[in-house]
Amino acid sequence: MKRLDDFRLRMGRHELVPIMIGGMGVDISSADLALEAARLGGVGHISDAMVKTVTDRRYKTKFVKAKQAMYKYVPETDDKSNVKFNLEHLVEATRLHVEGTMSRKTGSGLVFINCMEKLTMNAPKETLKVRMSAALDAGIDGITLAAGLHLGSFALIEDHPRFRDAKLGIIVSSLRALQLFLKKNSRLNRLPDYIVVEGPLAGGHLGFGMDWAEYDLATITTEVLQYLKAEQLDIPVIPAGGIFTGTDAVRFMELGGSAVQVATRFTVTRECGLPDDVKQEYFKADEDDIEVNQISPTGYPMRMIKSSPGIGDGIRPNCEAYGYLLDANGKCAYVTAYNREVSAHPGAKRVSVMDKTCLCTHMRNFEIWTCGQLAWRLKDTSVRQGDGRWQLLTAEHVFQDYQFSTEHQIRLPATEVALGVA
């Protein structure tokens, strides 16, 4: 029986283990996690979601505090159009995040950065261009464009000296989305270096409606592969979403995939940026604890653990400090929902907002627990300790379990007693 290690991902001059760890924000796909993937010969991602918050934590900068001070007296209205990001600070935060990661890189693998189009930041084109250009300047191996069609994103950096050198990839959830992208970007004479096909079982934001269960990753992947073959386009296709074992991965390789993107099983590793107590919540989740809801202000459905503390929490919007989801007109669906509830409950010290969430604040505080549909199986990947907590795994252990396992087997870790760390 074939193992995932029997295949290789060829990307330019690179020959890689065909495992890509997805870019989970905010700093859930930490630099440590991405660097382990690269050390082991695969591809890791960091994320530029709320990059100023990340650098404040990692490098003791004061970007969030400076932005909040600048807009201290913004009135409490739905209109936040004057709450802008300092682009120089955004460049510096991205540089610190990327350089701090790349300076520690070892091994033959690659480190990419995940850039979400839906982080519109009250100036969608300007802020996205700055984020991508700064990441390229700082030496990132590649950029994965996520959370949107990104029809104009390549054009934002077509004049950058690394435009044809760095790896540029896109995430799509349908053949139609891919066709739109290729048509829009045809004048650039620059194809994506890889295509991540993200199916309906993925974690976080989904490229589907609430009818997501009607779709199937294998079907979409096959449609994309057939189209590329008919058009004589040699672009690696990387399926993602619901790939829980090495055997699952091999199935997609035999379909014609060039690698797989995985993430959920890495949420319970030591290198993952989630707090350890939250990792235990992932282990404890059962199948009926996982839901797809519409609380994201982006307009996309979102998959998470339904006991996430941020669901229904009517926290005051803090766009002055964060504001990553403000659209080009300074609007955010959560701000509108919050002010509606405040008006409906005059004098209340705290309101509940059920239909939307303040994604910036709650992702910053690790209170929205996004996950893949199969997160309920995480307890099958580890061992329970005497105190009832589950043993955290290493990224190397999970990576190599994907790489070498067969027959849907999942290799359990050696107990911490045996490792001498209990």
Side-chain angles (χ1 to χ4, degrees), residues 36-270:
E36 274 296 272
R39 182 182 70 83
L40 295 166
V43 181
H45 274 95
I46 54 176
S47 169
D48 77 344
M50 298 187 71
V51 67
K52 290 186 176 183
T53 291
V54 173
T55 55
D56 280 0
R57 284 174 169 165
R58 299 285 181 179
Y59 303 106
K60 309 306 179 186
T61 53
K62 304 292 183 183
F63 292 128
V64 172
K65 186 175 181 180
K67 182 171 182 281
Q68 187 171 30
M70 184 178 296
Y71 297 108
K72 185 176 181 180
Y73 301 105
V74 172
E76 304 231 356
T77 68
D78 289 3
D79 181 8
K80 304 288 186 179
S81 57
N82 61 333
V83 180
K84 300 288 186 179
F85 279 78
N86 182 310
L87 297 184
E88 292 182 1
H89 288 179
L90 190 56
V91 168
E92 179 64 8
T94 303
R95 183 191 67 78
L96 285 169
H97 188 33
V98 174
E99 285 187 354
T101 302
M102 301 306 289
S103 66
R104 297 193 287 132
K105 180 185 162 188
T106 61
S108 60
L110 301 174
V111 175
F112 295 166
I113 191 166
N114 182 282
C115 291
M116 293 175 60
E117 184 181 41
K118 284 297 182 179
L119 294 181
T120 40
M121 300 170 69
N122 210 349
K125 290 183 179 179
E126 295 85 351
T127 54
L128 183 58
K129 179 177 182 176
V130 161
R131 287 151 55 198
M132 292 192 295
S133 297
L136 292 173
D137 289 341
I140 200 72
D141 289 324
I143 298 174
T144 299
L145 298 170
L149 283 176
H150 284 278
L151 298 181
S153 296
F154 273 25
L156 294 176
I157 53 172
E158 64 177 314
D159 295 329
H160 195 281
R162 295 193 63 207
F163 179 59
R164 300 186 186 278
D165 164 50
K167 304 304 177 188
L168 302 179
I170 59 172
I171 297 179
V172 299
S173 294
S174 69
L175 172 58
R176 177 61 177 158
L178 173 61
Q179 291 171 325
L180 288 171
F181 178 89
L182 294 176
K183 180 179 180 180
K184 179 69 174 180
N185 287 273
S186 59
R187 73 164 186 84
L188 297 176
N189 192 30
R190 172 61 162 97
L191 292 171
D193 294 292
Y194 56 98
I195 301 163
V196 177
V197 178
E198 192 171 78
L201 303 185
H205 288 104
L206 303 180
F208 303 87
M210 291 303 287
D211 61 347
W212 58 269
E214 298 177 13
Y215 297 89
D216 172 71
L217 175 60
T219 300
I220 302 167
T221 300
T222 299
E223 290 172 351
V224 168
L225 287 166
Q226 290 175 345
Y227 171 78
L228 293 175
K229 183 178 180 180
E231 296 295 318
Q232 297 183 324
L233 297 175
D234 185 17
I235 306 173
V237 173
I238 304 174
I243 301 170
F244 203 78
T245 68
T247 307
D248 294 334
V250 167
R251 174 193 173 205
F252 284 101
M253 301 300 289
E254 291 179 333
L255 275 180
S258 295
V260 292
Q261 179 170 287
V262 289
T264 293
R265 283 189 61 186
F266 289 91
T267 59
V268 290
T269 60
R270 297 183 186 278

